[in-house]
Amino acid sequence: MKVLITGGAGFIGSHLADAYIARGDEVYVLDDLSTGSIENIAHLKSESRFHYTIDSVQNIPVLAELVDTCDVIFHMAAAVGVKLIVESPVRTIETNVRGTEAVLAAANKKKKRVLIASTSEVYGLSTEIPFREDGNLVLGATNKGRWSYACSKAIDEFLALAYWREKKLPTIVVRLFNTVGPRQTGQYGMVIPTLVKQALAGRPLTVYGTGKQTRCFGYVGDVVKALVSLMDQEGATGDLFNIGSSEEVSINDVAQRILALTSSQSEIVYVPYDEAYEHGFEDMPRRVPDTRKLQALIGFAPKTNLDTILKSVIDHYSRS
Ligand code: UDP
């Protein structure tokens, strides 16, 4: 199979490329390196079944040719990371909306199966824990930059599902919950790489807010297995799936575990959200996926627990 991965030099996209190369397939990556990195795919460059193009998904002729060449498409290219979103909302909205429009239009011309990566951010301030795919999305006010990300990805979801309903383009939408592992950068705000780097450098660990907010961290290897299975599964077409771990943990607990696993002497400092992001920033107190739908279709169960994930990230940053 020939697989096109937009955002294939990014954190999740590059692990997805690894999985298809390991399976014996041919991989085409399209990435503009805006948040991705050539280092993430450097180890694949010598592989004859691996091809990459450094360009934007909004370069329509380049995109069209790659879509034509490939059998299936993963659209992973997006502006991600709360810090980046808050600092660059125009870039976030335009990248996410225009990029997905371009990919879906190109895929539709050739009727190629396409998976669109969305995010658990779309659940926003919903308190209906665990979040189900058919639950309400509760977005905050439009003067709070954070919500532009959720809204841009929600539009991507509507568009992908509309292409299936109206034009019979085989689309799949996934909502990725906090995904972590080697190669994730802390540059755009993600908590685990940020705290691990701080602990290894002996700098204070920055916990935002009270640290009592919780997340479920899924291992990138488990998430990639789910993505590959969904692409193979006819029954996933025209549907929407949460992908994530159900191990709920507070950010305080994450910080403590990182200190213990790195034997770091760093202290924990509490940074108010206003200072960490922007005035009036809203965080979600809990974010937990309901993954029963994914479990029923592909038998998904995350295998990697948080300590193992943290060790893999610590190992990655200890070596780099
Ligand atoms: N966070 C933190 N310290 C940091 C970065 C993030 O305490 O240096 C918090 C952040 O406010 C959020 C949680 O960790 O409550 C997860 O943040 P991340 O950006 O990784 O993902 P999010 O769940 O916000 O998309």
PDB file of all heavy atoms in Angstrom, residues 82 121 146 178 188-192 194-195 198 206-208 213 215 217 251 273 277 281 283-284 287, ligand 1:
ATOM      1  N   VAL A  82      -0.953  24.247  22.934  1.00  0.00           N
ATOM      2  CA  VAL A  82      -1.737  25.354  23.486  1.00  0.00           C
ATOM      3  C   VAL A  82      -0.956  26.671  23.422  1.00  0.00           C
ATOM      4  O   VAL A  82      -1.503  27.721  23.101  1.00  0.00           O
ATOM      5  CB  VAL A  82      -2.172  25.032  24.933  1.00  0.00           C
ATOM      6  CG1 VAL A  82      -2.974  26.177  25.527  1.00  0.00           C
ATOM      7  CG2 VAL A  82      -3.003  23.761  24.963  1.00  0.00           C
ATOM      8  N   GLU A 121      -9.508  18.475  22.404  1.00  0.00           N
ATOM      9  CA  GLU A 121      -9.812  19.889  22.716  1.00  0.00           C
ATOM     10  C   GLU A 121     -11.245  20.237  22.328  1.00  0.00           C
ATOM     11  O   GLU A 121     -11.832  21.151  22.898  1.00  0.00           O
ATOM     12  CB  GLU A 121      -8.880  20.824  21.933  1.00  0.00           C
ATOM     13  CG  GLU A 121      -7.568  21.146  22.583  1.00  0.00           C
ATOM     14  CD  GLU A 121      -7.632  22.311  23.578  1.00  0.00           C
ATOM     15  OE1 GLU A 121      -8.339  23.309  23.340  1.00  0.00           O
ATOM     16  OE2 GLU A 121      -6.964  22.187  24.609  1.00  0.00           O
ATOM     17  N   ARG A 146      -7.590  30.271  23.023  1.00  0.00           N
ATOM     18  CA  ARG A 146      -7.490  28.818  23.106  1.00  0.00           C
ATOM     19  C   ARG A 146      -8.585  28.126  22.295  1.00  0.00           C
ATOM     20  O   ARG A 146      -8.344  27.104  21.662  1.00  0.00           O
ATOM     21  CB  ARG A 146      -7.597  28.392  24.566  1.00  0.00           C
ATOM     22  CG  ARG A 146      -7.761  26.910  24.675  1.00  0.00           C
ATOM     23  CD  ARG A 146      -7.838  26.371  26.061  1.00  0.00           C
ATOM     24  NE  ARG A 146      -7.412  24.987  25.980  1.00  0.00           N
ATOM     25  CZ  ARG A 146      -6.826  24.335  26.934  1.00  0.00           C
ATOM     26  NH1 ARG A 146      -6.589  24.922  28.072  1.00  0.00           N
ATOM     27  NH2 ARG A 146      -6.466  23.082  26.771  1.00  0.00           N
ATOM     28  N   ASN A 178      -4.471  13.500  24.860  1.00  0.00           N
ATOM     29  CA  ASN A 178      -3.050  13.807  25.093  1.00  0.00           C
ATOM     30  C   ASN A 178      -2.190  12.601  24.721  1.00  0.00           C
ATOM     31  O   ASN A 178      -2.303  11.543  25.334  1.00  0.00           O
ATOM     32  CB  ASN A 178      -2.821  14.198  26.550  1.00  0.00           C
ATOM     33  CG  ASN A 178      -3.541  15.488  26.906  1.00  0.00           C
ATOM     34  OD1 ASN A 178      -4.775  15.528  26.917  1.00  0.00           O
ATOM     35  ND2 ASN A 178      -2.808  16.538  27.193  1.00  0.00           N
ATOM     36  N   TYR A 188       6.024  23.824  22.082  1.00  0.00           N
ATOM     37  CA  TYR A 188       4.690  24.413  21.888  1.00  0.00           C
ATOM     38  C   TYR A 188       3.807  24.218  23.105  1.00  0.00           C
ATOM     39  O   TYR A 188       2.595  24.305  23.021  1.00  0.00           O
ATOM     40  CB  TYR A 188       4.059  23.871  20.598  1.00  0.00           C
ATOM     41  CG  TYR A 188       5.012  24.045  19.447  1.00  0.00           C
ATOM     42  CD1 TYR A 188       5.710  22.966  18.913  1.00  0.00           C
ATOM     43  CD2 TYR A 188       5.282  25.323  18.955  1.00  0.00           C
ATOM     44  CE1 TYR A 188       6.647  23.153  17.905  1.00  0.00           C
ATOM     45  CE2 TYR A 188       6.216  25.517  17.953  1.00  0.00           C
ATOM     46  CZ  TYR A 188       6.890  24.434  17.427  1.00  0.00           C
ATOM     47  OH  TYR A 188       7.814  24.626  16.445  1.00  0.00           O
ATOM     48  N   GLY A 189       4.428  23.893  24.247  1.00  0.00           N
ATOM     49  CA  GLY A 189       3.707  23.909  25.512  1.00  0.00           C
ATOM     50  C   GLY A 189       3.407  22.551  26.118  1.00  0.00           C
ATOM     51  O   GLY A 189       2.998  22.484  27.264  1.00  0.00           O
ATOM     52  N   MET A 190       3.587  21.448  25.394  1.00  0.00           N
ATOM     53  CA  MET A 190       3.159  20.151  25.933  1.00  0.00           C
ATOM     54  C   MET A 190       3.871  19.831  27.243  1.00  0.00           C
ATOM     55  O   MET A 190       5.081  19.971  27.381  1.00  0.00           O
ATOM     56  CB  MET A 190       3.405  19.023  24.932  1.00  0.00           C
ATOM     57  CG  MET A 190       2.343  18.949  23.873  1.00  0.00           C
ATOM     58  SD  MET A 190       2.595  20.240  22.670  1.00  0.00           S
ATOM     59  CE  MET A 190       1.531  19.704  21.354  1.00  0.00           C
ATOM     60  N   VAL A 191       3.073  19.366  28.200  1.00  0.00           N
ATOM     61  CA  VAL A 191       3.560  19.305  29.574  1.00  0.00           C
ATOM     62  C   VAL A 191       4.664  18.270  29.810  1.00  0.00           C
ATOM     63  O   VAL A 191       5.651  18.572  30.497  1.00  0.00           O
ATOM     64  CB  VAL A 191       2.378  19.119  30.567  1.00  0.00           C
ATOM     65  CG1 VAL A 191       1.704  17.760  30.418  1.00  0.00           C
ATOM     66  CG2 VAL A 191       2.833  19.329  31.990  1.00  0.00           C
ATOM     67  N   ILE A 192       4.514  17.064  29.289  1.00  0.00           N
ATOM     68  CA  ILE A 192       5.483  16.014  29.660  1.00  0.00           C
ATOM     69  C   ILE A 192       6.897  16.312  29.149  1.00  0.00           C
ATOM     70  O   ILE A 192       7.846  16.330  29.946  1.00  0.00           O
ATOM     71  CB  ILE A 192       4.951  14.601  29.323  1.00  0.00           C
ATOM     72  CG1 ILE A 192       3.843  14.291  30.344  1.00  0.00           C
ATOM     73  CG2 ILE A 192       6.061  13.554  29.323  1.00  0.00           C
ATOM     74  CD1 ILE A 192       3.247  12.919  30.300  1.00  0.00           C
ATOM     75  N   THR A 194       8.115  19.127  28.457  1.00  0.00           N
ATOM     76  CA  THR A 194       8.569  20.342  29.158  1.00  0.00           C
ATOM     77  C   THR A 194       9.096  19.993  30.549  1.00  0.00           C
ATOM     78  O   THR A 194      10.212  20.380  30.926  1.00  0.00           O
ATOM     79  CB  THR A 194       7.400  21.357  29.282  1.00  0.00           C
ATOM     80  OG1 THR A 194       6.931  21.651  27.973  1.00  0.00           O
ATOM     81  CG2 THR A 194       7.843  22.637  29.972  1.00  0.00           C
ATOM     82  N   LEU A 195       8.312  19.236  31.311  1.00  0.00           N
ATOM     83  CA  LEU A 195       8.726  18.919  32.687  1.00  0.00           C
ATOM     84  C   LEU A 195       9.935  17.977  32.708  1.00  0.00           C
ATOM     85  O   LEU A 195      10.814  18.104  33.575  1.00  0.00           O
ATOM     86  CB  LEU A 195       7.565  18.317  33.486  1.00  0.00           C
ATOM     87  CG  LEU A 195       6.294  19.175  33.673  1.00  0.00           C
ATOM     88  CD1 LEU A 195       5.360  18.551  34.713  1.00  0.00           C
ATOM     89  CD2 LEU A 195       6.591  20.611  34.068  1.00  0.00           C
ATOM     90  N   GLN A 198      12.994  20.018  32.069  1.00  0.00           N
ATOM     91  CA  GLN A 198      13.310  20.834  33.253  1.00  0.00           C
ATOM     92  C   GLN A 198      13.959  19.977  34.337  1.00  0.00           C
ATOM     93  O   GLN A 198      14.967  20.368  34.934  1.00  0.00           O
ATOM     94  CB  GLN A 198      12.024  21.491  33.788  1.00  0.00           C
ATOM     95  CG  GLN A 198      11.480  22.576  32.850  1.00  0.00           C
ATOM     96  CD  GLN A 198      10.069  23.013  33.200  1.00  0.00           C
ATOM     97  OE1 GLN A 198       9.319  22.281  33.865  1.00  0.00           O
ATOM     98  NE2 GLN A 198       9.683  24.197  32.730  1.00  0.00           N
ATOM     99  N   THR A 206       7.639  23.664  36.019  1.00  0.00           N
ATOM    100  CA  THR A 206       6.553  24.654  35.980  1.00  0.00           C
ATOM    101  C   THR A 206       5.204  23.951  35.902  1.00  0.00           C
ATOM    102  O   THR A 206       4.826  23.418  34.864  1.00  0.00           O
ATOM    103  CB  THR A 206       6.715  25.565  34.752  1.00  0.00           C
ATOM    104  OG1 THR A 206       6.839  24.725  33.583  1.00  0.00           O
ATOM    105  CG2 THR A 206       7.949  26.460  34.861  1.00  0.00           C
ATOM    106  N   VAL A 207       4.489  23.946  37.011  1.00  0.00           N
ATOM    107  CA  VAL A 207       3.128  23.387  37.001  1.00  0.00           C
ATOM    108  C   VAL A 207       2.163  24.562  36.928  1.00  0.00           C
ATOM    109  O   VAL A 207       2.234  25.487  37.744  1.00  0.00           O
ATOM    110  CB  VAL A 207       2.876  22.526  38.260  1.00  0.00           C
ATOM    111  CG1 VAL A 207       1.396  22.163  38.383  1.00  0.00           C
ATOM    112  CG2 VAL A 207       3.724  21.257  38.197  1.00  0.00           C
ATOM    113  N   TYR A 208       1.280  24.538  35.942  1.00  0.00           N
ATOM    114  CA  TYR A 208       0.355  25.656  35.730  1.00  0.00           C
ATOM    115  C   TYR A 208      -0.909  25.467  36.566  1.00  0.00           C
ATOM    116  O   TYR A 208      -1.396  24.342  36.719  1.00  0.00           O
ATOM    117  CB  TYR A 208      -0.022  25.776  34.255  1.00  0.00           C
ATOM    118  CG  TYR A 208       1.146  26.053  33.324  1.00  0.00           C
ATOM    119  CD1 TYR A 208       1.027  25.871  31.942  1.00  0.00           C
ATOM    120  CD2 TYR A 208       2.387  26.503  33.810  1.00  0.00           C
ATOM    121  CE1 TYR A 208       2.089  26.117  31.080  1.00  0.00           C
ATOM    122  CE2 TYR A 208       3.455  26.752  32.940  1.00  0.00           C
ATOM    123  CZ  TYR A 208       3.292  26.548  31.582  1.00  0.00           C
ATOM    124  OH  TYR A 208       4.344  26.792  30.732  1.00  0.00           O
ATOM    125  N   GLN A 213      -5.568  19.765  37.948  1.00  0.00           N
ATOM    126  CA  GLN A 213      -6.244  19.371  36.699  1.00  0.00           C
ATOM    127  C   GLN A 213      -5.702  18.013  36.247  1.00  0.00           C
ATOM    128  O   GLN A 213      -4.529  17.707  36.491  1.00  0.00           O
ATOM    129  CB  GLN A 213      -6.047  20.446  35.609  1.00  0.00           C
ATOM    130  CG  GLN A 213      -4.644  20.626  35.062  1.00  0.00           C
ATOM    131  CD  GLN A 213      -3.796  21.609  35.874  1.00  0.00           C
ATOM    132  OE1 GLN A 213      -3.970  21.778  37.065  1.00  0.00           O
ATOM    133  NE2 GLN A 213      -2.836  22.244  35.210  1.00  0.00           N
ATOM    134  N   ARG A 215      -5.363  14.757  33.266  1.00  0.00           N
ATOM    135  CA  ARG A 215      -5.323  14.357  31.862  1.00  0.00           C
ATOM    136  C   ARG A 215      -5.112  12.850  31.824  1.00  0.00           C
ATOM    137  O   ARG A 215      -4.692  12.241  32.815  1.00  0.00           O
ATOM    138  CB  ARG A 215      -4.138  15.017  31.130  1.00  0.00           C
ATOM    139  CG  ARG A 215      -4.223  16.544  31.005  1.00  0.00           C
ATOM    140  CD  ARG A 215      -5.348  16.984  30.090  1.00  0.00           C
ATOM    141  NE  ARG A 215      -5.351  18.411  29.840  1.00  0.00           N
ATOM    142  CZ  ARG A 215      -5.993  19.306  30.602  1.00  0.00           C
ATOM    143  NH1 ARG A 215      -6.677  18.916  31.666  1.00  0.00           N
ATOM    144  NH2 ARG A 215      -5.970  20.583  30.276  1.00  0.00           N
ATOM    145  N   PHE A 217      -2.794  10.338  29.596  1.00  0.00           N
ATOM    146  CA  PHE A 217      -1.720  10.379  28.604  1.00  0.00           C
ATOM    147  C   PHE A 217      -1.586   9.033  27.895  1.00  0.00           C
ATOM    148  O   PHE A 217      -1.337   8.007  28.529  1.00  0.00           O
ATOM    149  CB  PHE A 217      -0.398  10.767  29.281  1.00  0.00           C
ATOM    150  CG  PHE A 217      -0.411  12.176  29.807  1.00  0.00           C
ATOM    151  CD1 PHE A 217      -0.721  12.432  31.138  1.00  0.00           C
ATOM    152  CD2 PHE A 217      -0.144  13.249  28.966  1.00  0.00           C
ATOM    153  CE1 PHE A 217      -0.742  13.735  31.625  1.00  0.00           C
ATOM    154  CE2 PHE A 217      -0.171  14.553  29.443  1.00  0.00           C
ATOM    155  CZ  PHE A 217      -0.475  14.799  30.774  1.00  0.00           C
ATOM    156  N   ILE A 251      -1.692  16.757  37.092  1.00  0.00           N
ATOM    157  CA  ILE A 251      -0.395  17.285  36.642  1.00  0.00           C
ATOM    158  C   ILE A 251       0.592  17.297  37.819  1.00  0.00           C
ATOM    159  O   ILE A 251       1.781  17.059  37.638  1.00  0.00           O
ATOM    160  CB  ILE A 251      -0.561  18.686  35.987  1.00  0.00           C
ATOM    161  CG1 ILE A 251      -1.537  18.601  34.787  1.00  0.00           C
ATOM    162  CG2 ILE A 251       0.785  19.257  35.545  1.00  0.00           C
ATOM    163  CD1 ILE A 251      -1.188  17.589  33.706  1.00  0.00           C
ATOM    164  N   TYR A 273      -2.190  30.544  35.432  1.00  0.00           N
ATOM    165  CA  TYR A 273      -2.513  30.422  33.999  1.00  0.00           C
ATOM    166  C   TYR A 273      -2.333  31.744  33.253  1.00  0.00           C
ATOM    167  O   TYR A 273      -1.859  31.770  32.122  1.00  0.00           O
ATOM    168  CB  TYR A 273      -3.970  29.962  33.812  1.00  0.00           C
ATOM    169  CG  TYR A 273      -4.196  28.507  34.134  1.00  0.00           C
ATOM    170  CD1 TYR A 273      -5.094  28.135  35.116  1.00  0.00           C
ATOM    171  CD2 TYR A 273      -3.546  27.508  33.416  1.00  0.00           C
ATOM    172  CE1 TYR A 273      -5.329  26.800  35.404  1.00  0.00           C
ATOM    173  CE2 TYR A 273      -3.767  26.169  33.693  1.00  0.00           C
ATOM    174  CZ  TYR A 273      -4.662  25.815  34.690  1.00  0.00           C
ATOM    175  OH  TYR A 273      -4.890  24.493  34.966  1.00  0.00           O
ATOM    176  N   TYR A 277      -0.032  31.489  30.024  1.00  0.00           N
ATOM    177  CA  TYR A 277      -0.619  31.632  28.679  1.00  0.00           C
ATOM    178  C   TYR A 277      -1.035  33.074  28.408  1.00  0.00           C
ATOM    179  O   TYR A 277      -0.270  33.853  27.873  1.00  0.00           O
ATOM    180  CB  TYR A 277      -1.804  30.676  28.502  1.00  0.00           C
ATOM    181  CG  TYR A 277      -1.447  29.212  28.641  1.00  0.00           C
ATOM    182  CD1 TYR A 277      -1.890  28.480  29.742  1.00  0.00           C
ATOM    183  CD2 TYR A 277      -0.690  28.560  27.673  1.00  0.00           C
ATOM    184  CE1 TYR A 277      -1.580  27.126  29.868  1.00  0.00           C
ATOM    185  CE2 TYR A 277      -0.372  27.210  27.791  1.00  0.00           C
ATOM    186  CZ  TYR A 277      -0.822  26.495  28.896  1.00  0.00           C
ATOM    187  OH  TYR A 277      -0.514  25.166  29.019  1.00  0.00           O
ATOM    188  N   PHE A 281      -7.136  32.980  30.669  1.00  0.00           N
ATOM    189  CA  PHE A 281      -7.007  31.628  30.089  1.00  0.00           C
ATOM    190  C   PHE A 281      -7.848  30.615  30.858  1.00  0.00           C
ATOM    191  O   PHE A 281      -7.870  30.605  32.088  1.00  0.00           O
ATOM    192  CB  PHE A 281      -5.534  31.196  30.130  1.00  0.00           C
ATOM    193  CG  PHE A 281      -5.313  29.828  29.552  1.00  0.00           C
ATOM    194  CD1 PHE A 281      -5.126  29.651  28.184  1.00  0.00           C
ATOM    195  CD2 PHE A 281      -5.313  28.696  30.370  1.00  0.00           C
ATOM    196  CE1 PHE A 281      -4.926  28.385  27.655  1.00  0.00           C
ATOM    197  CE2 PHE A 281      -5.112  27.431  29.835  1.00  0.00           C
ATOM    198  CZ  PHE A 281      -4.923  27.281  28.478  1.00  0.00           C
ATOM    199  N   ASP A 283      -8.615  26.585  31.500  1.00  0.00           N
ATOM    200  CA  ASP A 283      -8.136  25.213  31.325  1.00  0.00           C
ATOM    201  C   ASP A 283      -9.303  24.277  31.614  1.00  0.00           C
ATOM    202  O   ASP A 283     -10.297  24.683  32.233  1.00  0.00           O
ATOM    203  CB  ASP A 283      -6.998  24.922  32.318  1.00  0.00           C
ATOM    204  CG  ASP A 283      -6.143  23.738  31.885  1.00  0.00           C
ATOM    205  OD1 ASP A 283      -6.353  23.211  30.769  1.00  0.00           O
ATOM    206  OD2 ASP A 283      -5.256  23.336  32.664  1.00  0.00           O
ATOM    207  N   MET A 284      -9.198  23.025  31.157  1.00  0.00           N
ATOM    208  CA  MET A 284     -10.254  22.089  31.543  1.00  0.00           C
ATOM    209  C   MET A 284      -9.774  21.279  32.728  1.00  0.00           C
ATOM    210  O   MET A 284      -8.649  20.781  32.744  1.00  0.00           O
ATOM    211  CB  MET A 284     -10.747  21.203  30.399  1.00  0.00           C
ATOM    212  CG  MET A 284      -9.748  20.645  29.470  1.00  0.00           C
ATOM    213  SD  MET A 284      -9.008  21.883  28.463  1.00  0.00           S
ATOM    214  CE  MET A 284     -10.019  21.876  27.035  1.00  0.00           C
ATOM    215  N   ARG A 287      -9.982  15.699  31.701  1.00  0.00           N
ATOM    216  CA  ARG A 287     -10.167  15.301  30.305  1.00  0.00           C
ATOM    217  C   ARG A 287      -9.953  13.793  30.213  1.00  0.00           C
ATOM    218  O   ARG A 287      -8.818  13.314  30.309  1.00  0.00           O
ATOM    219  CB  ARG A 287      -9.168  16.031  29.427  1.00  0.00           C
ATOM    220  CG  ARG A 287      -9.409  15.761  27.967  1.00  0.00           C
ATOM    221  CD  ARG A 287      -8.292  16.265  27.138  1.00  0.00           C
ATOM    222  NE  ARG A 287      -8.432  17.653  26.793  1.00  0.00           N
ATOM    223  CZ  ARG A 287      -7.421  18.391  26.356  1.00  0.00           C
ATOM    224  NH1 ARG A 287      -6.220  17.873  26.269  1.00  0.00           N
ATOM    225  NH2 ARG A 287      -7.604  19.631  26.014  1.00  0.00           N
TER     226      ARG A 287
HETATM  227  N1  UDP B   1       0.993  22.365  31.916  1.00  0.00           N
HETATM  228  C1  UDP B   1       1.799  22.601  33.034  1.00  0.00           C
HETATM  229  N2  UDP B   1       3.089  22.977  32.840  1.00  0.00           N
HETATM  230  C2  UDP B   1       3.649  23.146  31.603  1.00  0.00           C
HETATM  231  C3  UDP B   1       2.827  22.883  30.466  1.00  0.00           C
HETATM  232  C4  UDP B   1       1.522  22.499  30.662  1.00  0.00           C
HETATM  233  O1  UDP B   1       1.342  22.461  34.182  1.00  0.00           O
HETATM  234  O2  UDP B   1       4.824  23.498  31.508  1.00  0.00           O
HETATM  235  C5  UDP B   1      -0.399  21.911  32.134  1.00  0.00           C
HETATM  236  C6  UDP B   1      -1.446  22.596  31.250  1.00  0.00           C
HETATM  237  O3  UDP B   1      -1.887  23.811  31.819  1.00  0.00           O
HETATM  238  C7  UDP B   1      -2.546  21.537  31.201  1.00  0.00           C
HETATM  239  C8  UDP B   1      -1.773  20.214  31.269  1.00  0.00           C
HETATM  240  O4  UDP B   1      -0.481  20.548  31.802  1.00  0.00           O
HETATM  241  O5  UDP B   1      -3.393  21.618  32.321  1.00  0.00           O
HETATM  242  C9  UDP B   1      -1.581  19.562  29.910  1.00  0.00           C
HETATM  243  O6  UDP B   1      -1.027  20.533  29.037  1.00  0.00           O
HETATM  244  P1  UDP B   1      -0.604  20.217  27.547  1.00  0.00           P
HETATM  245  O7  UDP B   1      -0.258  21.534  26.903  1.00  0.00           O
HETATM  246  O8  UDP B   1       0.408  19.141  27.510  1.00  0.00           O
HETATM  247  O9  UDP B   1      -1.914  19.615  26.865  1.00  0.00           O
HETATM  248  P2  UDP B   1      -3.448  20.097  26.897  1.00  0.00           P
HETATM  249  O10 UDP B   1      -4.128  19.041  27.708  1.00  0.00           O
HETATM  250  O11 UDP B   1      -3.542  21.434  27.535  1.00  0.00           O
HETATM  251  O12 UDP B   1      -3.837  20.082  25.471  1.00  0.00           O
END
